[in-house]
């Protein structure tokens, strides 16, 4: 869409400026490190940080004549054959993520101009959304447990690196005060795989090197029961008597009755028939 001699895609966090990933296209491998060390001296990065969603060209901020005589250009940009930069920053305030897309040309090439800025501003949000969708299509391995649940990729502190819209919607539904940043619950880090309950959500965590997949779903009615309550519910729903269940579990019939009242309350049912219907329907 926009002719350029090279490009760079950087994804990180808005506040901390932690870089999650960088992709270079037709640029020397050292380019990302050099530009990262010198960000404060490259005016275009300050400009896109001040106005996310707006494509900015370096020629809008400094003339070619000035750039040619600046020591910074001769020391940093010129050796990389970078004289013209067109960049944009796409921010997601909810997750705290930002994506920067930068296109480069030599100073001897034509300026990027207004059409290039317009095209990049239109394309960048779509490219960012497509990249996230592509990531999760690859991550949704049918061999992984709960692969089809709403998913996010987070670090050990719960900061989101990628997230499906369905994941963010569910988090907001159950934690209305969440405004981005680390997830509103702790991520287990002592096992490769773990499943925890957070309110009415089931959270499955699968560690992948330094990051973790977090998959969430709303707990079904029967998942609200304790193991003992589920055991009693299954038995009573099958038509067994209090005495029979009590004998097998080595508890008194009155204890079975007390458990059953709590089961009825949790499941919002009021009879054996309603309980049996729920259990047999596989509502969990």
């Amino acid at each position: 869409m926009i002719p350029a001699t090279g490009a760079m895609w950087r994804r990180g966090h808005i506040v901390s400026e932690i870089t999650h990933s960088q992709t270079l296209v037709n640029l020397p491998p050292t380019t990302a490190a050099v530009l990262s060390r010198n960000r404060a001296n490259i005016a275009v990065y300050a400009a896109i940080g001040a106005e996310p969603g707006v494509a900015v060209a370096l020629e809008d901020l400094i003339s070619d004549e000035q750039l040619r005589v600046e020591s910074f250009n001769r020391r940093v940009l010129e050796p990389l054959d970078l004289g013209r930069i067109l960049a944009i920053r796409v921010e997601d305030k909810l997750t705290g993520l930002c994506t920067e897309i930068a296109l480069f040309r030599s100073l001897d090439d034509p300026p990027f101009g207004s059409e290039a800025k317009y095209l990049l501003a239109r394309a960048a949000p779509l490219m960012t959304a497509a990249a996230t969708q592509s990531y999760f299509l690859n991550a949704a391995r049918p061999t992984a447990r709960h692969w089809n649940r709403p998913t996010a990729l987070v670090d050990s502190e719960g900061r989101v690196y990628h997230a499906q819209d369905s994941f963010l919607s569910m988090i907001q539904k159950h934690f209305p005060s969440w405004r981005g940043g680390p997830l509103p619950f702790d991520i287990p880090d002592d096992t490769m795989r773990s499943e925890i309950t957070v309110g009415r959500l089931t959270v499955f965590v699968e560690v992948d090197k330094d990051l973790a997949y977090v998959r969430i779903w709303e707990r079904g009615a029967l998942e609200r029961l304790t193991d003992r309550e589920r055991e009693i519910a299954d038995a009573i729903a099958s038509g067994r008597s209090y005495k029979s269940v009590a004998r097998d579990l080595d508890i008194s019939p009155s204890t079975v009755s007390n458990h059953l009242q709590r089961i009825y309350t949790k499941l919002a049912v009021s009879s054996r028939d309603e309980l049996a219907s729920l259990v047999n329907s596989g509502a969990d």
Side-chain angles (χ1 to χ4, degrees):
M1 255 180 16
I2 305 170
T5 56
M8 183 170 74
W9 175 292
R10 173 185 173 274
R11 189 166 177 83
H13 279 79
I14 297 171
V15 177
S16 64
E17 292 293 346
I18 294 174
T19 296
H20 168 45
S21 62
Q22 290 185 126
T23 302
L24 302 178
V25 179
N26 200 32
L27 293 170
T30 58
T31 302
V34 171
L35 295 181
S36 180
R37 287 197 303 268
N38 292 278
R39 282 177 69 90
N41 296 313
I42 304 176
V44 73
Y45 285 116
I48 63 174
E51 291 188 272
V54 176
V56 179
L58 185 59
E59 61 253 25
D60 296 335
L61 308 172
I62 183 171
S63 68
D64 289 2
E65 291 74 21
Q66 287 177 288
L67 196 58
R68 289 183 190 279
V69 299
E70 275 201 351
S71 61
F72 173 76
N73 174 61
R74 294 197 302 273
R75 179 174 54 85
V76 177
L77 298 182
E78 200 172 272
L80 297 170
D81 197 24
L82 307 179
R84 302 198 183 283
I85 305 174
L86 174 64
I88 192 168
R89 180 178 172 119
V90 179
E91 294 186 353
D92 186 331
K93 298 294 187 183
L94 181 59
T95 62
L97 292 169
C98 68
T99 301
E100 292 178 351
I101 303 171
L103 306 179
F104 302 94
R105 291 176 182 170
S106 166
L107 191 56
D108 295 327
D109 291 330
F112 279 102
S114 58
E115 182 179 1
K117 287 186 285 187
Y118 170 79
L119 289 173
L120 183 58
R122 292 290 300 273
L126 301 178
M127 293 168 67
T128 302
T132 296
Q133 177 67 7
S134 175
Y135 183 90
F136 281 111
L137 284 175
N138 291 328
R141 308 178 305 278
T143 55
R145 291 181 62 189
H146 308 302
W147 63 271
N148 57 336
R149 306 287 191 177
T151 305
L153 185 69
V154 306
D155 65 13
S156 59
E157 297 181 9
R159 287 190 297 259
V160 175
Y161 282 109
H162 288 282
Q164 293 177 316
D165 288 342
S166 55
F167 181 95
L168 298 175
S169 296
M170 193 170 293
I171 290 293
Q172 287 185 292
K173 174 183 175 181
H174 290 268
F175 300 92
S177 61
W178 186 64
R179 294 293 181 268
L183 293 176
F185 48 81
D186 293 332
I187 303 298
D189 59 1
D190 55 342
T191 59
M192 291 297 294
R193 294 182 180 87
S194 56
E195 188 172 306
I196 61 174
T197 297
V198 180
R200 293 193 62 182
L201 289 179
T202 297
V203 180
F204 181 74
V205 181
E206 184 177 18
V207 176
D208 184 10
K209 297 178 182 178
D210 295 332
L211 302 174
Y213 290 106
V214 177
R215 309 181 195 276
I216 60 175
W217 62 94
E218 292 179 325
R219 297 167 62 205
L222 296 179
E223 287 187 275
R224 300 172 203 162
L225 304 180
T226 65
D227 290 343
R228 174 50 60 92
E229 288 170 346
R230 180 60 192 266
E231 200 172 16
I232 291 174
D234 288 341
I236 295 297
S238 69
R240 295 177 59 188
S241 68
Y242 287 15
K243 288 184 178 180
S244 172
V245 175
R247 184 171 56 251
D248 285 352
L249 299 180
D250 195 25
I251 56 179
S252 68
S254 62
T255 300
V256 172
S257 176
N258 291 335
H259 276 300
L260 195 59
Q261 292 306 310
R262 284 194 291 271
I263 291 168
Y264 282 178
T265 299
K266 285 185 178 182
L267 301 183
V269 298
S270 56
S271 68
R272 279 176 176 259
D273 289 343
E274 289 182 8
L275 176 63
S277 177
L278 185 62
V279 169
N280 296 329
S281 69
D284 58 338

